[in-house]
Amino acid sequence: MKQQLDTIQVNALAAIAGAEDERSLEEVRITFLGKKGSLTTASAGMKDLPKEEKPAMGQALNEVRQAIQASLEQKRTELQAARDAASVEGLDMTLEGRDLARGGLHPLTEIKEKAVSILRRMGFALAEGPEIETEFHCFDALNTPQDHPARNEKDTFYFDSGKLLRTHTSSVQIRTMEAAKPPVRIIAPGSAYRRDEIDATHLSVFHQLEGLYVDENVTLGDLKGTLEYFLKAMFGDSTEVRFRPHFFPFTEPSFEIDVKLQAKGEEPKWIEVAGCGMVDPAVFSAVSTSRGDQVFESMTGFAFGMGLDRLAMIQWGIKDIRLLIENDVRFLSQFG
Ligand code: PHE
């Protein structure tokens, strides 16, 4: 039997050495070590041996098995290494990688996201409304009389249907109050359109962020505190904020808000960033008529609206608003 084992070992090692790939190596393994393999068959002869020969033969059997297994393992590693080497053959590993162009956020998107995240932390929820609006939502419900200059065909884009491109995001105030119950705390960022003469500071499309807070007993103090906090979070803690009396049909009293900012290499100066005021009772009345109930009649509130293009221009010292819609990569790649 010893003789037989030696022959198996010699044959197995020769077959392993001759295996050309992992598949034929596996076949060799089955031939010798498999359930019906020659070593397995040989070991079945153990039971016919005289008792005193069994231990020595058992040990010999183990040694042969181990030798074959070790040889199989080594060959498998060699074959794998050869396969790995073949798969990268001809590749020059010293070549530089290709540069991936990285995109970035548009400055308007960045400003909008910053403003929205501050206001959301303060409890305002996002609201939306259509850009093609009715005169009711854009003007009438906002207490804007028929002869107000903003309603002029020279200032506003009208469709034949009588609808128009919203001239401000304030129409979202009305739509929200038509659909919700107080308290209302919303912000609505979005596009607005005016028939302006196009130059470095005017386009026919621009971007606003509207805010509305409606509840019982809302005061001018709430308005000032909220907007001062917001503008400091936007422009820095030491930013000075100033409220200047102004007129809007839908708020009373109304203000424009200036912040004192210093552009690089320039003297600090006051820059107008937003309009705001206490919601005019006439707006609540229009909403009540539209809803057919009195839910908003006894309410108070404040509203504000700001130009996002202008905030972006201030933040990055952009001198021409047209750059914000031209999508020139040389301009855009400076951001993000
Ligand atoms: N809708 C005004 C504008 O476009 C801004 C504003 C909004 C003013 C809300 C007061 C309250 O100029």
Side-chain angles (χ1 to χ4, degrees):
M1 183 167 172
K2 179 81 175 76
Q3 177 90 46
Q4 193 194 357
L5 289 180
D6 287 344
T7 315
I8 291 177
Q9 176 163 356
V10 171
N11 289 346
L13 296 191
I16 291 170
E20 273 171 8
D21 54 32
E22 285 157 281
R23 237 182 92 197
S24 43
L25 189 66
E26 176 63 7
E27 277 162 21
V28 173
R29 188 190 68 78
I30 292 167
T31 309
F32 292 92
L33 301 184
K35 265 195 204 140
K36 293 184 185 146
S38 36
L39 193 66
T40 321
T41 320
S43 65
M46 280 278 284
K47 64 179 188 316
D48 304 326
L49 288 178
K51 211 174 160 202
E52 54 290 358
E53 283 182 28
K54 277 188 180 169
M57 210 46 77
Q59 196 186 346
L61 194 69
N62 266 340
E63 280 168 10
V64 171
R65 179 182 299 280
Q66 277 163 13
I68 297 175
Q69 271 168 346
S71 170
L72 275 170
E73 198 45 53
Q74 195 197 344
K75 184 71 177 181
R76 192 174 293 129
T77 315
E78 278 171 28
L79 287 173
Q80 259 169 16
R83 186 156 54 100
D84 290 349
S87 67
V88 293
E89 206 175 55
L91 287 184
D92 183 350
M93 300 305 224
T94 64
L95 277 181
E96 274 182 41
R98 278 195 203 106
D99 207 7
L100 280 181
R102 282 257 231 124
L105 291 181
H106 189 283
L108 275 176
T109 308
E110 210 172 311
I111 277 285
K112 180 182 80 182
E113 289 188 354
K114 184 174 178 190
V116 166
S117 86
I118 297 167
L119 289 159
R120 285 188 70 138
R121 281 205 299 278
M122 295 170 74
F124 288 89
L126 273 175
E128 279 185 334
E131 292 177 17
I132 297 176
E133 260 301 1
T134 62
E135 284 199 73
F136 175 75
H137 292 96
C138 197
F139 295 129
D140 296 315
L142 286 159
N143 196 33
T144 310
Q146 201 69 46
D147 59 357
H148 190 281
R151 300 185 69 152
N152 198 301
E153 296 227 338
K154 284 213 298 283
D155 287 325
T156 298
F157 294 102
Y158 283 93
F159 294 92
D160 291 343
S161 65
K163 287 194 171 180
L164 47 83
L165 287 177
R166 69 178 178 197
T167 58
H168 51 187
T169 44
S170 301
S171 49
V172 184
Q173 291 182 33
I174 305 302
R175 290 194 173 269
T176 306
M177 286 192 280
E178 280 177 335
K181 285 209 172 88
V184 171
R185 249 189 256 127
I186 53 120
I187 46 172
S191 308
Y193 303 84
R194 290 181 196 172
R195 278 199 141 152
D196 273 327
E197 200 70 55
I198 293 174
D199 61 24
T201 52
H202 296 87
L203 279 174
S204 46
V205 56
F206 60 108
H207 304 85
Q208 286 192 326
L209 189 148
E210 187 84 10
L212 173 69
Y213 176 36
V214 174
D215 203 347
E216 282 162 12
N217 304 319
V218 178
T219 68
L220 191 54
D222 296 325
L223 181 161
K224 283 193 81 178
T226 305
L227 290 175
E228 271 173 11
Y229 177 89
F230 166 72
L231 291 166
K232 286 182 183 207
M234 245 356 241
F235 295 108
D237 272 347
S238 55
T239 307
E240 285 179 73
V241 180
R242 165 173 98 178
F243 290 75
R244 242 182 322 102
H246 194 73
F247 174 81
F248 296 105
F250 33 90
T251 47
E252 179 61 32
S254 306
F255 304 89
E256 279 188 332
I257 310 176
D258 303 331
V259 290
K260 200 172 200 175
L261 291 171
Q262 184 168 21
K264 250 196 204 134
E266 284 178 29
E267 285 292 297
K269 61 174 184 228
W270 290 105
I271 301 174
E272 182 220 317
V273 292
C276 67
M278 303 305 291
V279 179
D280 193 303
V283 173
F284 290 130
S285 294
V287 166
S288 298
T289 309
S290 173
R291 288 174 63 101
D293 67 23
Q294 303 297 304
V295 177
F296 278 89
E297 267 311 329
S298 58
M299 289 295 139
T300 46
F302 67 76
F304 56 93
M306 66 191 103
L308 293 173
D309 311 74
R310 162 156 288 196
L311 296 189
M313 290 171 79
I314 295 170
Q315 165 122 1
W316 286 288
I318 298 166
K319 294 278 183 276
D320 193 325
I321 193 173
R322 288 169 288 200
L323 288 166
L324 291 174
I325 62 160
E326 280 168 353
N327 288 338
D328 186 329
V329 197
R330 290 167 299 181
F331 170 73
L332 292 177
S333 60
Q334 300 171 60
F335 303 91

